[in-house]
Amino acid sequence: MDNFKGQIRSLKVYGDDFWEFFNKQTQKVQERILWTIRIIRDIQFVPQTYLKHMEGTDGLYEIRVSSGNNIFRIFCFFDEGQLIILLNGFQKKTQKTPKSEIERAKKLKTKYYEDKQK
């Protein structure tokens, strides 16, 4: 998911959480996740339908993916301008995003910056 010609943003996966989530999904859901990530990577102004800032957080965003009646969220944040760091994902089953998933993303973001300092 590194930067190629024509891309506006580049994406990196931090840790194993995203891949653990991704690999558990059906092929159809995986394709939908990758399609959504390509939109975020390639278009100048990304609609909130696909990428939305999480209110009450310090720069966390959620990538919003839907496949059929299923809704999925992938937490991420921006680092160094146009670099998006993918953290963790989950299937959304309630109206509100579970606090445990937000806390997990916050911890991963903190760990990312700690590792980056090393």
Side-chain angles (χ1 to χ4, degrees):
M1 290 188 214
D2 289 328
N3 211 358
F4 293 100
K5 221 177 181 92
Q7 291 181 351
I8 293 168
R9 292 166 205 86
S10 57
L11 291 99
K12 275 172 107 172
V13 174
Y14 175 72
D16 297 327
D17 294 67
F18 170 79
W19 290 120
E20 287 173 14
F21 157 76
F22 183 83
N23 290 329
K24 288 179 189 168
Q25 307 311 315
T26 64
Q27 183 175 350
K28 183 178 175 186
V29 170
Q30 288 180 357
E31 288 169 2
R32 188 67 181 180
I33 290 168
L34 294 174
W35 178 86
T36 305
I37 286 172
R38 279 193 293 277
I39 285 177
I40 292 165
R41 185 190 66 192
D42 296 344
I43 68 173
Q44 184 71 43
F45 300 104
V46 180
Q48 282 192 359
T49 312
Y50 302 115
L51 183 68
K52 185 176 182 200
H53 180 260
M54 294 291 297
E55 303 222 357
T57 68
D58 182 22
L60 270 185
Y61 287 77
E62 62 177 7
I63 296 173
R64 305 159 71 110
V65 179
S66 50
S67 178
N69 293 330
N70 297 311
I71 298 170
F72 302 89
R73 296 291 186 258
I74 300 160
F75 286 112
C76 62
F77 64 93
F78 285 84
D79 185 24
E80 300 173 10
Q82 298 301 323
L83 174 63
I84 297 177
I85 307 298
L86 301 179
L87 299 171
N88 58 313
F90 65 98
Q91 184 170 358
K92 192 168 179 187
K93 297 182 180 186
T94 60
Q95 195 66 26
K96 261 187 109 128
T97 299
K99 276 198 186 306
S100 61
E101 293 293 346
I102 296 170
E103 290 305 313
R104 186 171 160 201
K106 286 179 180 177
K107 284 179 185 165
L108 287 167
K109 182 180 176 192
T110 300
K111 192 169 176 339
Y112 168 84
Y113 281 113
E114 287 170 358
D115 288 350
K116 192 176 173 183
Q117 296 300 317
K118 292 177 184 176

